[in-house]
C-alpha cells in the first residue's frame, strides 16, 4: 500500500526516503512543504536516481540522518521542498 498523508498530518521522516520527489503525491508534497531533503549530487561518473535520502526540518537534521546511515553528506545537495503549485 502506498504511503499517504494529509496536509495536516505530521510527516513520517522515513516514509519518503528512497523515493523521487517527483513521485510524491499531492497530499505528501503539501504536508512536506518547507522540509529539507537531501538528494545525491549528479556527476557524470555516478548518475544517481533523484531519490530522497534524508528529510528534516533543518539541514543539520538531514546531515545527521545521512551520517547515521554511513553516507557522506558532501555527496548530497540539500534543498527545501516547495509547494506543488
Amino acid at each position: 500500500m502506498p504511503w499517504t498523508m494529509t496536509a495536516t498530518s505530521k510527516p513520517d521522516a522515513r516514509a519518503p526516503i528512497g523515493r523521487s520527489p517527483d513521485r510524491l503525491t499531492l497530499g505528501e508534497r503539501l504536508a512536506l512543504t518547507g522540509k529539507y531533503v537531501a538528494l545525491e549530487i549528479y556527476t557524470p561518473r555516478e548518475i544517481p536516481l533523484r531519490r530522497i535520502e534524508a528529510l528534516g526540518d533543518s539541514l543539520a537534521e538531514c546531515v545527521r540522518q545521512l551520517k547515521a546511515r554511513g553516507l557522506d553528506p558532501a555527496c548530497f545537495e540539500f534543498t527545501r521542498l516547495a509547494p506543488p503549485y
Side-chain angles (χ1 to χ4, degrees):
M1 175 181 227
W3 176 73
T4 58
M5 66 186 333
T6 64
T8 58
S9 65
K10 184 178 181 197
D12 177 359
R14 296 175 310 263
I17 302 299
R19 294 178 52 205
S20 168
D22 297 331
R23 304 289 282 169
L24 297 174
T25 66
L26 180 60
E28 291 168 338
R29 190 66 183 235
L30 285 170
L32 296 173
T33 295
K35 297 284 185 186
Y36 287 95
V37 295
L39 305 166
E40 192 171 0
I41 295 173
Y42 168 85
T43 64
R45 196 177 316 173
E46 295 181 25
I47 304 172
L49 301 173
R50 303 293 289 171
R51 292 186 177 156
I52 297 170
E53 295 295 341
L55 171 73
D57 290 322
S58 68
L59 297 175
E61 189 174 340
C62 287
V63 168
R64 181 189 53 74
Q65 289 175 24
L66 292 171
K67 286 182 177 179
R69 294 177 49 211
L71 300 171
D72 181 2
C75 296
F76 292 83
E77 64 180 79
F78 300 88
T79 188
R80 215 171 197 175
L81 285 177
Y85 49 88

